[in-house]
Amino acid sequence: MCGIVGYIGESQAAPILLDGLSKLEYRGYDSAGIAVFDGEHIQVQKSIGRLKVLSELTHDGATMPGTVGIGHTRWATHGAPSKDNAHPHFNQDETIAVVHNGIIENYLKLKKYLEGKNYHFTSDTDTEVVAHLLDYYYKGDPIEAITRTMHRVEGSYALGIMFREHPGVVYAVRKDSPLIVGHGRDGNLIASDVPAVLKYTRNVYFIQNEELAILSGESITFYNVDGEEIQKNSTTIDWDINAAEKAGYEHFMLKEMYEQPKTVRDTLNPRIKNGTVVIEELGMTDEEINQIQRIHIVACGSAYHTGVTAKYVFEGMARIPVEVDLASEFRYRNPILQENDLVIVISQSGETADSLAALREAKNKGIKTLGIVNVVGSSIAREADTVMYTWAGPEIAVATTKAYSAQLIAEYLLAMRFAQARGEITESELSSYIRDLRKLPEQIEMLLSNKERIQHFANRYISAKDVFFVGRGVDYAISMEGSLKLKEISYIHSEAYAAGELKHGTISLIEEGTLVAAVLTQEVLYKKTISNIVELKSRGAFVLAVTNTGNTEIEKAADYVIYIPQTNRWFTNSLAIIPLQLFSYYVSVGKGCDVDKPRNLAKSVTVE
Ligand code: AGP
């Protein structure tokens, strides 16, 4: 996700901003920009692509003299990667400059309001709305303008702000997006994350939600959302720089697993309005949805696995036929597509060659296409008729976790929207589904807090040769993902099987001590899968069961049980995947594998 840096002190700001942004490149971005006060005006330079383009443009900052500035690397959410959409953003008379990390969920409503007050926009971003709102509330007091703006915006934000009329100050405020303040020897800094400031100071303040920091070259003062001054204690950072890029996590994969509650919220919240599902980007009325007779979901790898989950959820909830295809198969089998079909292509990167080719195959046949994509402005996002972003932020680890979880949320929402339009669910069912979805982030957090127990169990299997994952219905879909996670980062052979399929061959592979992970979250299928567990146990398997809290019956059959909190039967994959991710992660760590960059794999497979 985006990176923010700000500096005020005795040194030239631009080189410090560029250096700080370079330490945040790991967060992923597609454009960058800096703003520096030159003694009279706020100068801004922006560029798309890598940070070095901006460094070359500004001769490493030499063309932007001044000792006060803010900088930004943008991970596009609203508006494709472009110079106009890059930050910093100005108000109309360029007296206020803003950099932002997060998502302003009510930006469209605010934009409309401001346009009604004769404000004109030059970008597609939600951030520009903040710049104009600050202008709207600014009557000479920056703190008043900022606190009033904070009361109007909904969503997540970390903001760095400069007011030309107050050149000796940088302002910073946050809500649900990280922001820190560094107190250095020859100046003070703000940043999205610790790595950006470590070269200048290890004395850091962590701003809490809805707190405001005001930095001059010598001092830092803090205020709460009501504009009252508050005292804060600083922290001394003892991380080394490399560790800090992972915010203290040992690997990006673990960090991204722990970001899943946030990515679930960021994907979910903007699409729940007034107690119902609103997917503006779908661009379909109820009537148009009801004309859709069949859905084809096409993807690769983990994205394909979410498609298998989506098949069960769509067909179960919305009663619409769904076919799921591996993109590499779909593109060459001359698929039979009909006029009223919808092809949904799921892709984190939006650049996977097979998925892009499958999208083009569907478009060549004149079929409506929808992309569920994480990278804004990527090829699939641009070429699909409509795109539903997953807003998971940049995913650095090759093995997907947070993007996978965000894809599931997008698919649940789509299924609910289709079920609602087709009259397949009642209002009270819809409300109950929404309640369950809103609980998922804290339930995921609870499961993640269980990591030591799973780490202990995983250490017993670092020498395993074969591990099987089995389940029925959506539990079969999650078994596929659990199996892929294990093999791709620990290099242990693994397969996923429909539990009912075991006796048709695979059970011959079970030997004394073979680990089988059985997922049982579908109450109506418990007994069936328990009988499969009994079959496995009778051939010597060691059975790890992942099941719902309360299904204690399982303890008579399985050897080791991991319970997940109760949720709607359609949404259990979002919880069952957490222990499976942690298990794979700790087996890989225990084997000393390169967790974030497994051998032979790429983050985005842009070739056939
Ligand atoms: C997932 O852990 C893998 N890295 C891989 O299967 C991935 O899901 C697949 O390559 C699809 O990538 P995409 O979502 O970017 O299209």
Side-chain angles (χ1 to χ4, degrees):
M1 59 281 274
C2 307
I4 288 175
V5 180
Y7 171 79
I8 180 164
E10 295 155 16
S11 305
Q12 287 302 300
I16 294 174
L17 299 176
L18 292 167
D19 172 71
L21 292 176
S22 72
K23 300 293 188 299
L24 300 178
E25 286 192 281
Y26 74 86
R27 298 165 69 86
Y29 66 100
D30 42 56
S31 56
I34 59 175
V36 177
F37 182 69
D38 66 4
E40 199 177 341
H41 299 289
I42 299 175
Q43 298 297 337
V44 166
Q45 277 292 354
K46 309 182 194 183
S47 63
I48 55 174
R50 307 313 295 163
L51 196 57
K52 76 174 175 19
V53 176
L54 185 63
S55 295
E56 284 161 6
L57 190 63
T58 61
H59 299 286
D60 293 331
T63 62
M64 298 183 75
T67 61
V68 189
I70 51 180
H72 188 264
T73 45
R74 179 174 182 249
W75 167 268
T77 52
H78 297 73
S82 70
K83 252 180 117 169
D84 286 344
N85 288 335
H87 304 200
H89 284 286
F90 271 130
N91 62 332
Q92 268 166 200
D93 61 7
E94 301 192 354
T95 55
I96 300 173
V98 181
V99 290
H100 166 229
N101 177 20
I103 293 175
I104 305 298
E105 291 169 9
N106 62 336
Y107 86 100
L108 285 174
K109 195 171 88 179
L110 292 172
K111 186 167 184 172
K112 215 162 148 187
Y113 175 80
L114 290 163
E115 283 170 336
K117 303 282 183 188
N118 282 326
Y119 281 87
H120 303 290
F121 287 76
T122 58
S123 80
D124 307 322
T125 66
D126 54 342
T127 306
E128 193 185 357
V129 168
V130 175
H132 293 311
L133 207 53
L134 287 164
D135 179 275
Y136 179 70
Y137 285 123
Y138 180 67
K139 306 284 182 273
D141 176 357
I143 294 179
E144 185 197 359
I146 292 169
T147 48
R148 295 186 72 175
T149 298
M150 287 161 69
H151 282 104
R152 282 297 296 275
V153 298
E154 294 165 15
S156 60
Y157 54 82
L159 298 172
I161 309 167
M162 291 168 70
F163 289 80
R164 193 179 70 184
E165 292 176 7
H166 301 265
V169 187
V170 168
Y171 299 84
V173 65
R174 63 152 294 208
K175 176 174 168 291
D176 293 340
S177 276
L179 198 60
I180 59 150
V181 176
H183 182 49
R185 283 179 304 283
D186 74 345
N188 295 316
L189 304 99
I190 62 171
S192 301
D193 201 351
V194 166
V197 304
L198 278 185
K199 183 175 172 185
Y200 310 98
T201 180
R202 287 182 176 272
N203 189 15
V204 163
Y205 295 89
F206 291 93
I207 305 180
Q208 300 308 314
N209 267 359
E210 298 188 316
E211 288 182 350
L212 171 60
I214 300 180
L215 290 72
S216 71
E218 298 75 35
S219 67
I220 304 165
T221 45
F222 297 98
Y223 293 83
N224 63 20
V225 70
D226 299 320
E228 295 153 346
E229 189 169 342
I230 52 177
Q231 298 306 314
K232 290 184 73 69
N233 299 322
S234 66
T235 303
T236 303
I237 301 295
D238 54 11
W239 290 338
D240 68 75
I241 285 208
N242 291 330
E245 284 195 358
K246 302 181 187 104
Y249 289 96
E250 190 181 352
H251 298 102
F252 281 113
M253 183 177 174
L254 188 62
K255 175 170 177 283
E256 286 154 10
M257 279 193 256
Y258 275 74
E259 286 174 355
Q260 288 179 115
K262 178 175 182 332
T263 55
V264 166
R265 279 191 199 97
D266 287 349
T267 303
L268 178 65
N269 290 348
R271 297 170 171 128
I272 303 287
K273 293 195 167 91
N274 307 319
T276 188
V277 176
V278 177
I279 308 176
E280 283 155 0
E281 57 269 48
L282 186 60
M284 282 192 213
T285 61
D286 284 7
E287 292 68 39
E288 288 163 331
I289 287 176
N290 289 330
Q291 282 163 9
I292 305 278
Q293 299 304 313
R294 191 175 46 156
I295 292 175
H296 301 262
I297 298 177
V298 186
C300 300
S302 294
Y304 168 78
H305 298 154
T306 71
V308 179
T309 302
K311 172 183 172 64
Y312 289 105
V313 177
F314 264 99
E315 292 191 345
M317 196 190 284
R319 304 308 297 156
I320 184 169
V322 175
E323 283 190 32
V324 192
D325 267 279
L326 290 167
S328 53
E329 291 297 307
F330 182 86
R331 65 181 292 193
Y332 291 119
R333 68 177 179 83
N334 190 14
I336 299 169
L337 303 175
Q338 270 127 16
E339 188 190 346
N340 289 329
D341 286 359
L342 170 65
V343 171
I344 301 177
V345 179
I346 307 166
S347 176
Q348 185 288 129
S349 63
E351 300 298 347
T352 298
D354 286 323
S355 305
L356 181 56
L359 171 70
R360 289 170 178 164
E361 171 76 9
K363 291 189 73 174
N364 291 341
K365 291 181 183 275
I367 304 301
K368 184 170 180 57
T369 57
L370 165 68
I372 295 180
V373 181
N374 194 42
V375 178
V376 174
S378 56
S379 302
I380 292 172
R382 276 183 286 105
E383 295 188 27
D385 295 323
T386 53
V387 60
M388 189 175 176
Y389 283 118
T390 46
W391 291 331
E395 193 173 58
I396 312 296
V398 164
T400 182
T401 50
K402 62 175 184 172
Y404 168 87
S405 290
Q407 286 164 359
L408 286 178
I409 297 298
E411 289 153 357
Y412 299 153
L413 288 167
L414 269 175
M416 289 158 69
R417 178 73 187 88
F418 271 68
Q420 185 189 28
R422 294 163 60 89
E424 291 292 343
I425 55 173
T426 63
E427 285 308 309
S428 65
E429 282 174 321
L430 182 67
S431 306
S432 130
Y433 292 165
I434 289 172
R435 271 196 305 279
D436 286 332
L437 286 175
R438 286 203 186 284
K439 283 185 203 155
L440 287 178
E442 65 193 62
Q443 291 176 321
I444 291 170
E445 276 161 5
M446 191 277 287
L447 288 166
L448 286 166
S449 66
N450 201 13
K451 69 177 185 197
E452 279 76 17
R453 180 167 180 254
I454 293 171
Q455 181 175 13
H456 178 72
F457 180 79
N459 286 338
R460 291 158 51 179
Y461 287 97
I462 56 177
S463 310
K465 293 288 173 281
D466 299 291
V467 179
F468 296 92
F469 293 75
V470 299
R472 292 170 181 261
V474 293
D475 294 338
Y476 173 37
I478 201 66
S479 297
M480 292 176 176
E481 180 57 12
S483 174
L484 175 62
K485 286 278 110 21
L486 181 66
K487 54 187 154 185
E488 67 177 326
I489 63 174
S490 73
Y491 318 146
I492 291 174
H493 169 254
S494 173
E495 288 182 64
Y497 267 85
E501 185 62 11
L502 276 168
K503 53 187 169 300
H504 298 284
T506 307
I507 204 162
S508 68
L509 295 176
I510 303 301
E511 296 171 346
E512 189 58 36
T514 302
L515 175 62
V516 179
V519 185
L520 311 86
T521 68
Q522 305 301 297
E523 200 164 339
V524 293
L525 298 170
Y526 275 165
K527 291 198 178 345
K528 299 287 179 198
T529 308
I530 285 177
S531 63
N532 298 135
I533 291 176
V534 172
E535 288 160 12
L536 288 160
K537 291 286 298 162
S538 64
R539 287 155 178 88
F542 184 99
V543 177
L544 157 68
V546 178
T547 190
N548 307 343
T549 307
N551 179 24
T552 51
E553 188 70 15
I554 192 73
E555 293 182 14
K556 293 182 193 130
D559 297 290
Y560 194 90
V561 183
I562 295 172
Y563 289 102
I564 63 171
Q566 286 293 347
T567 186
N568 184 287
R569 61 194 165 112
W570 302 124
F571 308 149
T572 59
N573 275 194
S574 295
L575 299 177
I577 190 56
I578 302 302
L580 300 184
Q581 288 171 347
L582 287 168
F583 173 70
S584 302
Y585 171 77
Y586 284 116
V587 170
S588 177
V589 168
K591 290 191 67 176
C593 297
D594 184 346
V595 175
D596 287 334
K597 296 187 183 64
R599 67 188 184 197
N600 312 335
L601 295 180
K603 183 58 187 170
S604 175
V605 184
T606 54
V607 294
E608 276 207 58

